[in-house]
Amino acid sequence: MSYFRLRFIMYKAKVTIGLKKGVSDPEGANTLKALKLLGFDNVQEAKTIRTVDLLINGKSKDDVKKSVERMCQRLLINPVIHNYKIEIKEK
Amino acid sequence: MSYFRLRFIMYKAKVTIGLKKGVSDPEGANTLKALKLLGFDNVQEAKTIRTVDLLINGKSKDDVKKSVERMCQRLLINPVIHNYKIEIKEK
């Protein structure tokens, strides 16, 4: 167990998932509409962004980044409509 | 029109909406489960956070912050389950 603890470090990964340019954002559009209906006429634009925060074990920052990259490709994002940004911090 | 432009400045407001402690996060839990099923055993925790980016006109930063605070109370968040953070930047 102590061997495991020595080799692996806990990292915090933040994956910010936004929509690509030109992809419609119905949630944002409806938020904007509702805000205007409530009388907030000063709002010009509303966009929604999703963030996934992960706690993850790894040998190094690079190692964890590669792993999170694979997670994005396989599950977290849809490459047709999303762009994403990965930030890794040691916990 | 030029008068309007002189008085009002465009601000970017970022509202980060997370879940309060103890509130279940089914989306995060399912993400974690799916990642484990895909073989990513190094993930310990997954949490989802929603962000709303607003473009908004205002006289001052304080003015805009108060306005966004009201938007949160009236539409963007549910005070029973969400906590939120507002960041305002000049555009």
Side-chain angles (χ1 to χ4, degrees), chain A residues 4 8 10 18-20 31 36 42 49 54 63 65 73 81:
Chain A
F4 176 84
F8 287 86
M10 189 75 91
L19 287 164
K20 283 186 177 167
T31 305
K36 293 220 182 255
N42 48 353
I49 291 160
L54 301 167
D63 191 59
K65 183 148 193 182
Q73 305 293 347
I81 57 167

Side-chain angles (χ1 to χ4, degrees), chain A residues 72-86:
Chain A
C72 286
Q73 305 293 347
R74 292 203 60 190
L75 180 78
L76 300 177
I77 70 134
N78 176 352
V80 178
I81 57 167
H82 293 140
N83 51 28
Y84 62 102
K85 205 177 67 183
I86 299 171

